Amino acid sequence: MAKLAQLKSLFLEQFGGKESDISFFQAPGRVNLIGEHTDYNGGSVFPAALTFGTTLLVSPREDGKLLFASTNFPITREIATGSLAFDEADDWTNYPKGIVWELAQRGIPLSRGYNFLYHGEIPNGAGLSSSASIEVVTAFALLTLEGRETDTVEISLWSQHAENEFVGVKCGIMDQFAVANGKKDHAILLDCDTLRYELVPFRTGDNKLVIGNTNKRRGLVDSKYNERRSQCEQAVRDLRQAFPELQLLGQLTLPQYRENEGLIQDETVRRRARHVVEEIDRVSRSMEVLKQGDLAAFGQLMNASHDSLRDLYEVTGDELDAMVSAAREVPGVLGSRMTGAGFGGCTISLVHGDSVDRFIEEVGKKYESATGLHPDFYVCDIGDGVRQLKEEA
Ligand code: GLA
């Protein structure tokens, strides 16, 4: 991580002002261990916060303006708090703007202006929730500096709402929730219908979690994502013949679903629904095997999750499939799957510590020769959710 002292110098160069007026905040990225495309279906997910993310430096200004800058992108913006609208040309600054808009909607208009400097360590467009990280860190910082309560569950909901309504991406709650509520060495078992959650110690023993970035641009991801969402809604409408009150696929048990699957008219829609209900079941089986410390069984569930995302939900694509199959050929790999929305982005693999170097070398070579793309790998630890930093940290 760039040292806070370095970021502080950059901040003062950009905005001027007094050192003592700067506050520091950080929010992580996230990786989902299992439970994919279940959140917007009211199912459960099992994500974890990463040890890297977005650092935000903020200072107040008396002229009511909002000035946004980033160490990652050349685009900077100066915006009057009263004129907040989504604008494609504003690029990444739409995320923090969305948060200021959201707070105003909730009756928390800002009492003054602010200077913001963002420093992101999450590779962009990799599906590790760089946008959720920006949203959550902005919401947490502004609530803190405005002297308001910082309830991290509320912050996740507000950030998701800003992304849905201001940015226009119809994501579920998983990303913002993990970024806001993560805890070092724990994964979060979250029921996305009730928002009940449990921090589960995630002990990998002699194994490591390795993220593989396909570096495949996630083209069309939003339109395909929204198409999957509407297919799930269609499945719910068909299943209402048997369950008139049904709102979300995640409210059905696997046996209930299996008995009534025939009510879903369209064969593609039926496969989408089957993925969702079986994936939710895999999350609960994961909890059982992890309680017993059976990481090999968890690895098998990760594999089954990927295969279902490939064959039933059809959100993997050649690059993710190539990386996962190369990973599974390496001895010492317990399981490997795509993580996040799919259509590019990253895989997550559980790999024996002694095999990590070989994994990176062999998967890298095979993936590159299969796709022509150069991958990146990150051996990852699980970190904390959003927080304020002390400068000397
Ligand atoms: C993206 C969305 C999440 C979730 C995942 C798929 O990351 O932002 O809400 O739906 O895809 O599990």
Side-chain angles (χ1 to χ4, degrees):
M1 187 187 93
K3 286 264 167 355
L4 288 186
Q6 270 169 283
L7 292 176
K8 191 169 66 180
S9 309
L10 282 174
F11 186 95
L12 293 170
E13 248 170 62
Q14 180 90 33
F15 300 116
K18 284 203 305 260
E19 260 185 60
S20 55
D21 285 343
I22 309 175
S23 303
F24 303 80
F25 298 88
Q26 200 162 58
R30 71 93 189 89
V31 65
N32 189 22
L33 302 176
I34 198 160
E36 216 66 82
H37 287 278
T38 52
D39 61 351
Y40 52 84
N41 287 299
S44 43
V45 291
F46 195 51
L50 299 171
T51 46
F52 51 93
T54 312
T55 306
L56 170 60
L57 278 63
V58 198
S59 70
R61 2 180 352 119
E62 295 315 321
D63 60 4
K65 287 180 185 158
L66 301 171
L67 267 65
F68 298 107
S70 159
T71 61
N72 306 81
F73 305 101
I75 294 165
T76 56
R77 283 289 181 270
E78 175 178 318
I79 284 153
T81 31
S83 61
L84 289 164
F86 179 85
D87 183 346
E88 193 85 49
D90 285 350
D91 203 65
W92 68 274
T93 64
N94 283 303
Y95 296 111
K97 267 169 47 183
I99 293 300
V100 177
W101 172 85
E102 181 72 28
L103 295 181
Q105 303 280 306
R106 310 253 168 201
I108 311 179
L110 300 182
S111 62
R112 53 191 174 172
Y114 289 98
N115 299 309
F116 300 86
L117 177 68
Y118 293 83
H119 173 69
E121 293 178 316
I122 308 167
N124 214 8
L128 299 176
S129 296
S130 54
S131 53
S133 181
I134 294 177
E135 290 157 358
V136 166
V137 79
T138 307
F140 188 91
L142 288 176
L143 289 169
T144 304
L145 296 173
E146 291 283 322
R148 303 284 183 143
E149 202 187 321
T150 51
D151 174 330
T152 48
V153 172
E154 207 159 68
I155 286 174
S156 355
L157 286 166
W158 295 2
S159 300
Q160 181 206 13
H161 189 257
E163 175 129 5
N164 289 170
E165 303 303 325
F166 188 87
V167 181
V169 177
K170 300 290 173 199
C171 63
I173 186 64
M174 171 170 76
D175 303 348
Q176 289 80 7
F177 199 94
V179 165
N181 299 288
K183 186 170 174 216
K184 187 175 162 37
D185 298 332
H186 289 69
I188 307 170
L189 174 63
L190 170 67
D191 176 335
C192 300
D193 193 9
T194 60
L195 289 190
R196 268 200 288 272
Y197 72 103
E198 191 189 333
L199 293 166
V200 181
F202 192 73
R203 297 192 190 87
T204 52
D206 296 337
N207 305 285
K208 296 275 179 203
L209 285 169
V210 184
I211 293 175
N213 187 350
T214 61
N215 283 322
K216 146 98 170 137
R217 290 193 66 82
R218 297 179 309 151
L220 290 180
V221 59
D222 296 345
S223 61
K224 289 187 185 161
Y225 186 89
N226 289 342
E227 181 190 274
R228 296 300 182 280
R229 281 197 79 139
S230 46
Q231 288 168 330
C232 293
E233 284 157 17
Q234 181 58 49
V236 167
R237 282 194 291 276
D238 288 350
L239 287 162
R240 280 200 191 123
Q241 291 170 59
F243 306 96
E245 306 288 300
L246 191 68
Q247 294 297 322
L248 295 161
L249 281 174
Q251 293 161 345
L252 292 179
T253 63
L254 189 52
Q256 279 173 329
Y257 174 76
R258 288 203 169 132
E259 258 168 52
N260 295 281
E261 190 184 40
L263 294 172
I264 302 175
Q265 294 303 307
D266 185 90
E267 194 268 334
T268 305
V269 172
R270 209 178 305 136
R271 281 188 290 127
R272 305 293 189 248
R274 192 184 310 157
H275 163 76
V276 171
V277 184
E278 290 179 352
E279 180 78 352
I280 295 168
D281 182 62
R282 275 189 286 273
V283 177
S284 61
R285 282 195 283 149
S286 297
M287 296 312 117
E288 286 161 26
V289 298
L290 286 172
K291 241 178 236 152
Q292 295 151 12
D294 190 348
L295 286 169
F298 179 61
Q300 292 301 317
L301 289 162
M302 291 173 79
N303 287 344
S305 166
H306 182 88
D307 296 352
S308 173
L309 289 156
R310 181 190 61 211
D311 301 334
L312 301 180
Y313 218 65
E314 295 179 285
V315 292
T316 55
D318 293 345
E319 293 78 9
L320 286 165
D321 289 338
M323 189 174 272
V324 160
S325 55
R328 290 185 193 166
E329 282 166 23
V330 180
V333 171
L334 278 67
S336 184
R337 60 182 291 274
M338 58 153 269
T339 183
F343 310 108
C346 289
T347 65
I348 175 87
S349 305
L350 191 57
V351 185
H352 193 277
D354 295 343
S355 305
V356 169
D357 291 343
R358 179 171 173 186
F359 175 93
I360 292 173
E361 199 190 316
E362 287 182 10
V363 178
K365 271 197 196 133
K366 282 188 187 156
Y367 175 75
E368 196 159 343
S369 73
T371 63
L373 293 171
H374 184 73
D376 289 309
F377 295 95
Y378 326 105
V379 179
C380 75
D381 291 317
I382 299 180
D384 283 316
V386 69
R387 64 211 175 275
Q388 183 162 13
L389 299 177
K390 295 284 159 264
E391 198 202 330
E392 57 278 10

